[in-house]
Amino acid sequence: MFTVTADVRSEFPAVAARELGMGDVPLLCTTEIDVPGALPRVVRLMAHVETDAPRAQVQHVYLRGAAALRRDIAQ
Ligand SMILES: C=C(O[C@@H]1C=C(C(=O)O)C=C[C@H]1O)C(=O)O
């Protein structure tokens, strides 16, 4: 599942994901709440995975300026 801020309008992130090889999974795009002052031009991805790894070993990737959103968990 992808969310995008309202200023991201050029393409659906799901299209890019399929072009990268994720053609065999359902994908969903939606828009974030347009909160005044929120970080612009952000694409968020939530992926459901099955893993035996404990939650503490899961790494959360925040690219570039998005790391400012969650410095507590960004890798
Ligand atoms: C401020 C953020 O964006 C919004 C707030 C979130 C939160 O409070 O957990 C999560 C996603 C967004 O709806 C963020 O990603 O940290």
Side-chain angles (χ1 to χ4, degrees):
M1 175 177 157
F2 297 93
T3 72
V4 298
T5 47
D7 52 3
V8 175
R9 281 182 247 156
S10 299
E11 186 53 276
F12 296 107
V15 171
R18 271 192 294 282
E19 289 175 1
L20 291 170
M22 297 187 70
D24 58 345
V25 293
L27 301 165
L28 178 69
C29 305
T30 187
T31 50
E32 273 290 343
I33 302 165
D34 195 14
V35 175
L39 191 67
R41 298 177 59 84
V42 177
V43 178
R44 293 176 173 84
L45 164 65
M46 181 171 71
H48 293 262
V49 298
E50 288 185 31
T51 177
D52 293 327
R55 194 166 16 176
Q57 285 185 8
V58 176
Q59 297 187 352
H60 304 283
V61 178
Y62 286 74
L63 301 177
R64 296 188 276 278
L69 292 170
R70 292 299 304 268
R71 294 216 184 276
D72 54 332
I73 58 172
Q75 300 291 315

